[in-house]
Amino acid sequence: MSLICSLSNEVPEQPVLSPVSGCIYEKRLIIKYLHESPTDPINGQPLTEEQLIDIKVTPLGKPKPPSATSIPAILKTLQDEWDACMLHSFTLRQQLQTARQELSHVMYQHDAACRVIARLNKEVTAAREALATLKPQAGITHTVPTQFVNEQSMQPVHHGAMTDVSQTSITTAEGMNDEIIQKLQDKASILTQLRKQRGKRVPEGLTTIDEMRNFRCSATHTALHSASSPGILALDISPKNSSIILTGGNDRQAVVFNKDNEQVVATLKGHQKKVTHVIHHFEEDIAITASSDTSIRVWHIPSAQCLKVLKAHESPITGLSLHPTGDYVLSSASDTYWALSDLRTGKLITKVQDTTSQRGLTCAQFHPDGIIFGIGTQESVIKIWDLKECNNVADFPGHAGSINTIAFSENGYYLATAAEDASIKLWDLRKLKNFKTITLEDRYEIRDLVFDQSGMYLGVAGTDIRVYQAKQWDLLKVFNDHTAIATGIRFGSNANYLASSSMDRSLKFYKQLTQE
C-alpha cells in the first residue's frame, strides 16, 4: 500500500500523520502551511508542528515516466528542453531591449530636466540681482550737494556716468599753494590735539577683549554684486553711520548697503573695469571709488549720481585715501605716480613720480593727521612722504615681496604693513624702526589691514579673517567663514561689530551673539 499526500496527491518523501484529521501529508508542505495558518488543511481544526507524527516507511525509488524509457523518447525530451531554453532566451533578449529603450528615454528626460533646472536657477539669480538693484529709493528725488554743482550747473546730469570731456581727460596739476598748505596745517594741529586727549582714556562702550574673542558670524549677504563676475574687492564703513556699508566689486559696480534693514541703498554704475577701492566720506553722503579703468569717481549716494570723474593717472589705480579735511583724495597707480586731487572741484593739485620705484606703487594711505602719508611699492619698501613739501622723508625696508597694504593706527604712532612674504610688520613712526614682526603661515595671503577707531585692535583680511590686540599684538580671534580669499575688513563704531568682504561674493558681519 502506498501513502499519498493529501496536499500534493503525490507519494511523500517524509510522510507525517495528523492526529486531528488522520490524513497523511508531506512534512515540508504541511510545515509551510502551518506557518501560514496553524490549522489542519482538511478539517480546519487547530494543529501544531509538534503534534505531527512521523511515519516510518521503506524508501522507494520514483519510477521513471513511461515516455523516458527509450532512447528516442529521451532525445525528444532533450529536444523539447532545448526548444524551451531557446524560447526563454529569446524572451529575455526582448525584455532586455525594452528595458534599454526605457532607460534611454528616462536618461534623456533626466538630462532635459537638469538643463531646465540650471536655466531656472540662472534666471532666479538674475531676478534677485535686478530686485536688489531696483530696491533703492524708487521714485524719490534727491538734491545734489551745492559744492559739487558749481561746475555742472550748465550741463545735463546723467545718472551713473559722467560725460564731461574736460573732466575725463588727464588734467594739469595746479600745484600746492599757500592756502591749501595752511588748510592742511590747521587741520593737522586740531587732530593732533584731539588725539592726545583721546589717548588718555579708553572710549566708552568699546568692545572688550573678552567680547572680541566671543565674536561669531552673525549675517552673510551674497546678492550685492553680480554672480557673472564674482568677487567683492573693496570694503568701507561710513564713519558717520556705521550701519552703512560700501563695497566695490569685480562687476564694475559699487554698492551702498544698509546692514540694519538689509537693503541696498544705492548701486553706483559707471566704471568700465573692476572697482578696486572704495571710501565713504567722513561726514557727507559721498562715496569715492577707484577702478582699474584709471579713473576715480565721486558719487552722491542718495541719488546714485556721479558728481566728478578724477583722471589723475594713466594706469590702474592701486591706492586710495581720503584726507582728514574731507576735501582732498590721495591716489597711487602702477605707473610709479601718486597724486592729490581736489574732491570738490575735480582738479588735480599735484602729481609726483617716485623716481626710485621702477615697478610701480601698490597702495597709499594718509596718516591720521594728514600731513604725511605712506606709499607701498613693488620693491618691498614702504615710503613715507611729506604732503606739504612733496618729499620722501623716510623709507621702511624689510619686507620680501611686493607691499600689499598699509594701515596707520589712530594714535598716530604705529604703522602696520603687509607684503607677499606672509608677514605683518609694525613700525614706530617716532623712532622710524620696525619693533614687531608677526610671521604667519607659509603661503598666507594678506589683502587688507585696518586699525579700529580706538587703535585697540588690528584687523587682517586674507586667507582668513584675524583680529589682533594692539600694543601686545596677541591674536584674539580667527574667522574661517569665507570660502575664498578675503579682500577687505572694517570695524564698526567702538568695534561693536566686524565686516569682511571676499572673492566668494559674500559680505559677512561678525559680532557677539546674545545667549538664548
Side-chain angles (χ1 to χ4, degrees):
M1 182 182 73
S2 63
L3 304 177
I4 301 298
C5 175
S6 299
L7 292 175
S8 62
N9 290 324
E10 294 181 357
V11 178
E13 295 180 358
Q14 291 181 298
V16 292
L17 174 67
S18 170
V20 176
S21 61
C23 296
I24 302 297
Y25 301 102
E26 176 69 48
K27 186 174 183 179
R28 59 182 177 80
L29 295 179
I30 189 62
I31 290 176
K32 288 182 180 179
Y33 182 87
L34 292 178
H35 285 168
E36 296 177 359
S37 177
T39 59
D40 191 282
I42 300 301
N43 56 17
Q45 295 185 10
L47 177 64
T48 62
E49 184 178 345
E50 289 76 18
Q51 292 179 290
L52 298 175
I53 301 173
D54 290 330
I55 300 177
K56 304 297 182 181
V57 295
T58 301
L60 299 174
K62 293 183 179 181
K64 294 181 180 181
S67 60
T69 55
S70 64
I71 291 178
I74 293 174
L75 292 176
K76 184 178 185 308
T77 301
L78 293 176
Q79 182 66 48
D80 292 340
E81 290 292 334
W82 171 259
D83 294 341
C85 286
M86 291 300 99
L87 291 174
H88 183 63
S89 176
F90 175 74
T91 303
L92 290 178
R93 287 198 301 271
Q94 282 186 321
Q95 293 176 349
L96 176 61
Q97 182 64 23
T98 303
R100 283 178 173 173
Q101 291 177 349
E102 293 177 352
L103 179 60
S104 176
H105 184 64
V106 170
M107 291 297 292
Y108 175 78
Q109 289 181 327
H110 178 267
D111 182 66
C114 289
R115 292 176 182 272
V116 172
I117 291 172
R119 178 174 57 82
L120 291 176
N121 284 335
K122 186 176 180 180
E123 291 178 356
V124 168
T125 301
R128 286 176 176 171
E129 292 176 359
L131 179 62
T133 303
L134 294 174
K135 276 184 180 179
Q137 11 52 37
I140 302 176
T141 59
H142 299 271
T143 58
V144 179
T146 56
Q147 60 266 38
F148 291 96
V149 177
N150 55 353
E151 291 189 358
Q152 297 181 355
S153 57
M154 303 302 294
Q155 300 174 7
V157 177
H158 298 273
H159 290 268
M162 284 290 294
T163 57
D164 186 0
V165 177
S166 64
Q167 292 183 0
T168 56
S169 60
I170 299 296
T171 55
T172 304
E174 296 185 345
M176 297 283 288
N177 56 45
D178 294 338
E179 181 182 353
I180 296 176
I181 292 175
Q182 187 60 44
K183 188 176 181 179
L184 299 179
Q185 188 61 55
D186 293 343
K187 188 65 175 179
S189 301
I190 296 173
L191 292 175
T192 301
Q193 188 63 31
L194 291 176
R195 189 179 68 239
K196 290 180 179 179
Q197 294 176 2
R198 290 197 306 266
K200 297 178 181 179
R201 54 186 174 83
V202 177
E204 185 178 354
L206 180 67
T207 298
T208 65
I209 294 175
D210 291 337
E211 290 172 341
M212 182 64 70
R213 288 194 175 102
N214 291 327
F215 271 29
R216 300 289 186 274
C217 182
S218 59
T220 300
H221 302 278
T222 57
L224 300 183
H225 290 269
S226 173
S228 59
S229 300
I232 301 178
L233 304 178
L235 170 69
D236 198 21
I237 296 177
S238 169
K240 183 178 67 173
N241 181 1
S242 62
S243 298
I244 301 300
I245 314 297
L246 177 62
T247 62
N250 225 0
D251 57 357
R252 302 176 293 178
Q253 300 179 9
V255 175
V256 184
F257 178 74
N258 189 317
K259 82 175 188 68
D260 289 344
N261 58 25
E262 298 185 345
Q263 289 195 357
V264 173
V265 177
T267 301
L268 312 178
K269 300 180 180 180
H271 283 293
Q272 303 303 311
K273 294 184 179 180
K274 60 185 179 182
V275 179
T276 55
H277 299 82
V278 295
I279 297 176
H280 195 292
H281 199 276
F282 307 133
E283 299 175 349
E284 305 174 36
D285 290 332
I286 300 296
I288 306 128
T289 61
S291 168
S292 295
D293 64 7
T294 75
S295 70
I296 301 169
R297 289 178 178 261
V298 183
W299 307 84
H300 181 235
I301 293 175
S303 62
Q305 291 184 21
C306 181
L307 304 175
K308 297 289 180 183
V309 178
L310 312 179
K311 289 292 292 184
H313 300 279
E314 297 179 347
S315 60
I317 310 295
T318 59
L320 191 69
S321 183
L322 181 62
H323 191 271
T325 59
D327 296 331
Y328 309 107
V329 63
L330 171 71
S331 58
S332 64
S334 57
D335 58 3
T336 72
Y337 282 92
W338 63 263
L340 184 71
S341 304
D342 191 315
L343 199 66
R344 309 298 179 180
T345 65
K347 295 180 179 180
L348 177 64
I349 297 175
T350 184
K351 183 176 180 180
V352 178
Q353 182 179 19
D354 184 356
T355 56
T356 61
S357 297
Q358 304 299 323
R359 293 187 294 164
L361 310 181
T362 58
C363 53
Q365 184 70 44
F366 270 120
H367 184 272
D369 291 345
I371 291 296
I372 62 174
F373 61 90
I375 293 287
T377 68
Q378 295 186 28
E379 283 86 0
S380 312
V381 178
I382 301 96
K383 297 177 179 291
I384 305 299
W385 288 74
D386 184 291
L387 182 59
K388 296 186 297 182
E389 302 295 334
C390 296
N391 289 335
N392 180 198
V393 295
D395 289 347
F396 291 153
H399 277 291
S402 177
I403 305 299
N404 290 338
T405 178
I406 64 175
F408 286 96
S409 172
E410 290 300 318
N411 63 14
Y413 300 146
Y414 303 133
L415 171 65
T417 62
E420 295 177 351
D421 55 4
S423 69
I424 302 171
K425 289 186 179 292
L426 285 307
W427 308 83
D428 191 323
L429 298 176
R430 295 164 295 184
K431 301 178 181 179
L432 299 179
K433 69 175 185 178
N434 171 227
F435 66 91
K436 176 71 175 180
T437 298
I438 302 174
T439 303
L440 303 176
E441 296 84 358
D442 188 28
R443 295 183 180 179
Y444 189 99
E445 292 187 52
I446 305 172
R447 293 293 182 88
D448 196 19
L449 294 174
V450 66
F451 284 94
D452 76 304
Q453 295 172 346
S454 68
M456 288 285 292
Y457 302 107
L458 172 64
V460 181
T463 303
D464 53 33
I465 300 294
R466 300 188 174 204
V467 179
Y468 288 87
Q469 179 187 4
K471 297 183 180 179
Q472 286 78 18
W473 311 111
D474 295 330
L475 179 61
L476 300 180
K477 188 69 179 179
V478 177
F479 303 96
N480 291 297
D481 301 272
H482 285 295
T483 58
I485 191 165
T487 56
I489 180 173
R490 290 294 183 272
F491 289 94
S493 177
N494 287 327
N496 57 3
Y497 79 89
L498 191 67
S500 67
S501 59
S502 169
M503 292 302 294
D504 62 7
R505 282 181 60 218
S506 70
L507 171 65
K508 291 183 180 290
F509 297 104
Y510 312 85
K511 66 178 183 179
Q512 185 179 16
L513 301 180
T514 303
Q515 298 291 333
E516 298 183 357

